[in-house]
Amino acid sequence: MTRLYQAELQTLTLGFVPLLDAAPLIVAKELGLFAVQGLNVTLQREASWASIRDKVAFGVLDGAQMIAPLPLASSLGLGAAAVPMTTALVLSSGGNAITLSQRLLQQLDLDPALLPCPLASGKALQQYLQQSPQQSLRLATVSPYSCHHYQLHYWLSTAGIGPRQVEVIGVAPAAMTAQLASDAIDGFCVGEPWSSLAQLSGHGSIVTSCDQLWHNWQEKVFAVSQQFADNQPQCYQALLTALLQACHWLQDVQSNSDKTTQLWHWLVQPQYLALADSSLTSSRLFNPVIPQAFFGAALNMPWRSQGAFILQQMRNLQQWQGPLNHPLLQQVYRPDLYRQVAANLGFSAPAADWRLEGDGGLNGDGSRFSDGMLFGMQQ
């Protein structure tokens, strides 16, 4: 490992939300990958994505792990005043799941042996709502501008359940299980490890992983304000370098017991995920029914085609109206910077900025949708 950039700023604070896919930031810190690039990084735990967004916007945080749609939403001024943000690195794919309460599942005509399955669980819920039209149903996601939110609505829509048939509210990831246990919500869509913890505690069951809905889809990204990227270009690339190296270290973590144990010892620390008192163990850290990945030439690529698809989801839910080839896609998603950093590390990267979403890709590294949809646009 060598120092590749001369960072304009050496002391930084980066934000994260306590989720399993905060791992690249934690690994980069604990393995000394930031330090190799001449960076003294403090990781700051935040309770919500709104807090992450606002603190990056106001410069309290220099950058952060973010849900993939949030840099785009912030740049568009959705949910808060517009602050241009940018990302040049996807940190992870997968890791999300939809979990329903045991109380609700007992009322559904659903064979537990079929789970997790988006079609079976969606159909059972649709029939339940059809037979009980006055039944109120409350589901939770982590933010209205998250893949969780769009994946939940995608699941409902493909099952024939309209947005007016359910109430969708926002709940912080770490509070999901408690809300489910108290019957404040009937289900949720959240990133790991909170779905697994809900199932291990007996309060809910995973009915579908979101990877089954949207396979090979960007989930968390590393984002900074456009102002930071413009004013600290060498620092930004140094951060990207350390984080991409951390993603590479995590490539085989699920099959490498030594790495899994090492990651577990880091994550359980109170300043990170604070899992020491939970029912989760190192052997249960990665739930096999909730696929999750951190490294790959196509995986770490900030695809502009995926950004355009997110704009379509925003339009579908009437959060925003505008063209899918919005000029902001060029500002928010920086595949050119990703390719530069990857090349300096000897990693391959796709040559195109856009791709046909949903076809699976020539090497199986493309995206797929559960209903077989294809999404393509002219660049």
Side-chain angles (χ1 to χ4, degrees):
M1 294 184 292
T2 58
R3 183 171 177 176
L4 298 175
Y5 301 96
Q6 297 299 316
E8 302 88 351
L9 183 66
Q10 288 80 44
T11 301
L12 304 107
T13 302
L14 306 180
F16 72 96
V17 168
L19 292 155
L20 187 51
D21 49 25
L25 279 78
I26 296 166
V27 168
K29 170 71 174 178
E30 295 296 329
L31 276 184
L33 299 175
F34 288 131
V36 168
Q37 298 305 320
L39 306 174
N40 177 20
V41 170
T42 297
L43 298 183
Q44 184 166 306
R45 173 175 166 151
E46 299 292 336
S48 71
W49 296 114
S51 175
I52 288 277
R53 175 200 61 205
D54 294 345
K55 289 186 178 181
V56 170
F58 289 107
V60 178
L61 295 172
D62 297 296
Q65 164 214 29
M66 282 194 190
I67 41 180
L70 199 54
L72 185 55
S74 176
S75 298
L76 289 168
L78 302 179
V83 175
M85 293 189 185
T86 187
T87 179
L89 180 65
V90 174
L91 297 172
S92 65
S93 71
N96 296 342
I98 296 173
T99 297
L100 298 181
S101 70
Q102 293 293 359
R103 175 181 51 79
L104 175 58
L105 284 166
Q106 290 170 3
Q107 301 178 63
L108 302 186
D109 182 18
L110 177 61
D111 182 355
L114 297 176
L115 299 178
C117 174
L119 299 178
S121 56
K123 180 180 178 182
L125 187 62
Q126 189 271 340
Q127 291 177 340
Y128 169 73
L129 291 172
Q130 191 175 45
Q131 294 166 3
S132 308
Q134 302 306 315
Q135 179 68 43
S136 61
L137 197 64
R138 176 178 285 183
L139 304 176
T141 67
V142 301
S143 165
Y145 309 108
S146 65
C147 286
H148 314 74
H149 192 76
Y150 304 129
Q151 288 162 346
L152 177 66
H153 280 281
Y154 195 93
W155 175 65
L156 294 171
S157 176
T158 55
I161 301 171
R164 295 184 179 180
Q165 292 181 268
V166 298
E167 179 187 6
V168 179
I169 65 170
V171 174
M176 290 287 191
T177 299
Q179 292 282 297
L180 198 70
S182 68
D183 292 333
I185 56 176
D186 300 292
F188 56 69
C189 183
V190 74
E192 280 289 85
W194 304 111
S195 290
S196 290
L197 286 170
Q199 186 155 287
L200 288 169
S201 67
H203 295 304
S205 287
I206 298 163
V207 297
T208 181
S209 73
C210 292
D211 184 76
Q212 292 173 292
L213 296 168
W214 298 359
H215 178 60
N216 282 347
W217 200 264
Q218 60 178 318
E219 173 47 36
K220 298 301 187 302
V221 301
F222 178 70
V224 299
S225 68
Q226 187 62 53
Q227 182 179 28
F228 180 94
D230 291 340
N231 293 344
Q232 319 283 349
Q234 290 279 306
C235 182
Y236 184 32
Q237 289 184 302
L239 287 168
L240 294 171
T241 298
L243 289 168
L244 185 53
Q245 288 177 309
C247 289
H248 182 255
W249 185 90
L250 286 160
Q251 180 180 25
D252 64 345
V253 68
Q254 297 176 58
S255 59
N256 186 319
S257 60
D258 290 339
K259 282 189 178 181
T260 302
T261 300
Q262 180 62 79
L263 180 61
W264 168 256
H265 285 311
W266 289 331
L267 295 179
V268 298
Q269 296 179 50
Q271 72 268 31
Y272 296 138
L273 270 63
L275 296 173
D277 297 327
S278 75
S279 54
L280 211 60
T281 63
S282 61
S283 62
R284 291 172 163 174
L285 184 58
F286 292 98
N287 190 331
V289 305
I290 307 177
Q292 191 163 19
F294 297 95
F295 181 79
L299 186 155
N300 299 115
M301 174 78 168
W303 293 100
R304 287 173 175 161
S305 49
Q306 294 201 351
F309 182 78
I310 292 299
L311 287 179
Q312 185 181 71
Q313 306 314 298
M314 292 175 173
R315 287 205 317 197
N316 290 347
L317 296 178
Q318 299 182 337
Q319 294 177 331
W320 175 81
Q321 298 298 321
L324 298 186
N325 59 347
H326 197 289
L328 273 177
L329 292 176
Q330 312 297 316
Q331 170 235 298
V332 174
Y333 299 94
R334 293 296 305 274
D336 55 322
L337 287 181
Y338 167 67
R339 278 190 285 268
Q340 181 178 337
V341 169
N344 286 340
L345 291 173
F347 301 145
S348 61
D353 298 344
W354 301 70
R355 67 180 180 182
L356 177 64
E357 300 293 346
D359 73 339
L362 293 175
N363 302 312
D365 58 359
S367 61
R368 289 198 310 272
F369 299 105
S370 60
D371 58 355
M373 186 190 71
L374 296 175
F375 178 82
M377 285 181 53
Q378 294 290 329
Q379 184 171 350

